[in-house]
Each structure stands twice: as C-alpha cells, then as structure tokens.
Amino acid sequence: MAEGKIMKALSGFYYVQDNEGEVYQCRARGVFRKNKQTPLVGDYVEFEAANKTDGTVTRLLSRKNALIRPPVSNVDQALIAVSVKEPDFSTVLLDRFLVLVEKHLIEPVILFTKMDLLEQDEKNQIAEYRKIYEAMGYVVKEFSTALNYHSESLAPLLVGKTTVIAGQSGVGKSSFLNQLNPELQIKTAEISNSLGRGKHTTRHVELVPILGGHVADTPGFSSLEFTDIDLEELPKLFVDFEMYSEACKFRGCMHMNEPKCRIKEAVDAGEIAKFRYDHYQQFYEEIKQRKPRY
C-alpha cells in the first residue's frame, strides 16, 4: 500500500502526492463516511492507484492537528492575514483568529495587509497595535502589493513548513500568495462596495509550494465560532494573561468577577491592553451562552 499526502481537494477528488513527488487523483473509500471521517488537505494517507487518475484513499494516518474552517490538517503555523483598511483593521477579528489558532497549538504569524492604503496618522495607530502584539511574543509582518514589501523576509518562516493562510474575505490573501509565487496566478476580485467585504474568489483547498514550504490557499471566511472551546480553556488561549494568572487569589480564576484577580489588576495598570481584556469578556459570554452540545 502506497503512502502520500493530500495536496488538494476538489469536487470530491483528493490529489495525493507520494514520496516520489508523483500526484494521483483519488476518491475516498465509503468507509470514511460510515466512520464519520473526512479526509483533509494535509492528511497523510495510505492509497492504492492503478494509474494517475484512478486511485482510492484507503486509510487516514494519524494527525497532529486538524482545522474545520479552513479544512486543513497537520498545520505547522498559521499566517493570519488582517487588512488595515478595506475592510478596516479589526482587533476583535484578529483576536478571534488567535484564540482558535492557539486552541490547536499552531504557531501564529500575524500579517497586516494593504499597508499602502493608510494615511500617516493611521500608520502610527497600526504601529502601536503592532507593538502590543509583538510584546505578547507574536511575529508580525506587513504587506502591500502596491508598496512591494519585501516578501523574502517571510522565507525563513515558511521554509520546510505547512502553513495555513487564513483571514476574512477581501483582506488580500490571494494577492499576497501571487506575489510570493507569481506562477500561481490565483484569481483575485475587487471588494464588493455594497457588502463592504470581499467576494469569495478561492473555490477549493490546496497546498501550494512557496518559498521552500507549502501554504494552504483556502476560501476566505468571516464566521469564526468557538464551538470546540470550553470556558475553562479560554484564559489559557490569551497568551498575554499567562504571566499574571498564577498570581490570582483563586485557583481556576476566570478573570471575570472574582476578587483580587491579577489579570484585572494588570489591565488597570496598563500591563495588558484593555481591548484584549474586552475581547476576552466578549468571548467568555459568547461561549457561556452557547447551547450545550449533545
């Protein structure tokens, strides 16, 4: 039985690359549906194929992680693309991405896109946000097709890794990938002025070779739900809380209404950005109000 990695999923077909670099078009066995398993791009699999266009995925090998949206597995890092304008920069959206990525133990890299659209005072504001996220330990990069930001600075981050690039529709993910690898020619679309967000331009999930690694080009999306995150997990997913939480008076402090909470003290002292704590409270209430799973 041959082994390989799913590099693309499209219209019910899985394109599996074997250890020799050959790609086989495969269907998945019906047993996967019976067992409620779904092969994902990034999965290592066993497969059999009589030829390049008539193969069958027979078994999924173990995963180190798996995302649902975007549907990719065995991800080393997430390049989170957030536009600074059109659509406007959103710390709450960025923090939602970060919480979900931290949940899956995936290393995040933050990418500010469309930097060329900013006025100087807006650039100063974005620079302040960048300082805040870098102080948490996150890597932050900037990108603009118009200003030709140096793409090669990302090469050390991407080489030898499987990276998922994710972000809201219209933030410039496809433009970014095209600049890193012009051979891709991924279709881009203008922002929909009536909706204020991007039109969906990516129709399938595929691992594409870029700067010595693979990047998952995935459909843009704007809904980021915390369906798999429990309340007790949430504080651990805010990395800027980590150095303070042990000093809370109560073990298992949720940093909401408890007395002598070191997190709230740090917010009041400006040691933790207030907008981060505001988002934490918002996410806490969202998870608390979630209907129980059965």
Side-chain angles (χ1 to χ4, degrees), residues 24-263:
Y24 296 82
Q25 178 179 280
C26 300
R27 292 279 193 184
R29 289 182 62 190
V31 70
F32 291 128
R33 184 177 300 173
K34 181 180 178 182
N35 295 335
K36 296 183 179 179
Q37 290 181 307
T38 303
L40 298 176
V41 168
D43 271 340
Y44 292 97
V45 299
E46 289 183 352
F47 72 101
E48 53 189 17
N51 54 58
K52 290 288 190 68
T53 60
D54 190 19
T56 303
V57 175
T58 58
R59 181 169 170 249
L60 300 183
L61 303 181
S62 61
R63 298 167 172 163
K64 71 176 182 180
N65 55 46
L67 301 175
I68 298 173
R69 296 173 62 181
V72 184
S73 69
N74 297 313
V75 177
D76 297 310
Q77 64 184 0
L79 195 58
I80 302 171
V82 285
S83 64
V84 295
K85 204 163 189 179
E86 294 184 15
D88 290 341
F89 180 66
S90 168
T91 54
V92 68
L93 186 62
L94 174 54
D95 286 345
R96 293 184 80 88
F97 275 111
L98 288 170
V99 164
L100 288 167
V101 168
E102 295 285 356
K103 158 73 176 176
H104 292 280
L105 303 177
I106 296 170
E107 190 72 23
V109 176
I110 300 169
L111 180 69
F112 291 164
T113 66
K114 304 189 180 182
M115 293 295 294
D116 57 298
L117 300 181
L118 296 181
E119 302 295 335
Q120 188 55 51
D121 60 329
E122 295 171 318
K123 288 181 181 177
N124 295 338
Q125 180 64 63
I126 292 298
E128 289 302 312
Y129 282 124
R130 177 171 184 166
K131 287 180 185 177
I132 292 170
Y133 283 99
E134 287 180 330
M136 297 179 211
Y138 289 122
V139 175
V140 182
K141 298 288 184 179
E142 297 177 351
F143 175 76
S144 164
T145 51
L147 296 180
N148 195 24
Y149 277 73
H150 297 297
S151 303
E152 61 269 17
S153 67
L154 284 171
L157 294 173
L158 300 179
V159 65
K161 295 181 180 179
T162 295
T163 302
V164 60
I165 178 168
Q168 195 177 22
S169 296
V171 300
K173 297 187 304 297
S174 294
S175 297
F176 170 72
L177 288 173
N178 283 339
Q179 184 153 325
L180 293 185
N181 186 349
E183 294 179 6
L184 294 175
Q185 291 301 307
I186 297 167
K187 183 181 177 184
T188 59
E190 295 296 320
I191 293 294
S192 170
N193 291 327
S194 60
L195 295 177
R197 61 176 187 265
K199 300 174 183 178
H200 291 269
T201 56
T202 311
R203 301 298 179 186
H204 66 279
V205 182
E206 180 176 2
L207 293 181
V208 294
I210 293 178
L211 298 177
H214 285 98
V215 174
D217 180 36
T218 63
F221 54 94
S222 55
S223 176
L224 290 160
E225 299 176 357
F226 298 139
T227 52
D228 295 323
I229 297 176
D230 296 324
L231 277 179
E232 293 72 22
E233 289 181 279
L234 186 63
K236 301 180 181 69
L237 303 180
F238 276 72
V239 297
D240 42 342
F241 289 13
E242 188 174 3
M243 66 181 291
Y244 302 100
S245 58
E246 290 297 320
C248 290
K249 179 178 180 180
F250 295 102
R251 187 176 180 182
C253 180
M254 292 302 295
H255 321 309
M256 292 293 288
N257 302 311
E258 299 91 338
K260 295 186 178 179
C261 170
R262 182 67 182 92
I263 297 299

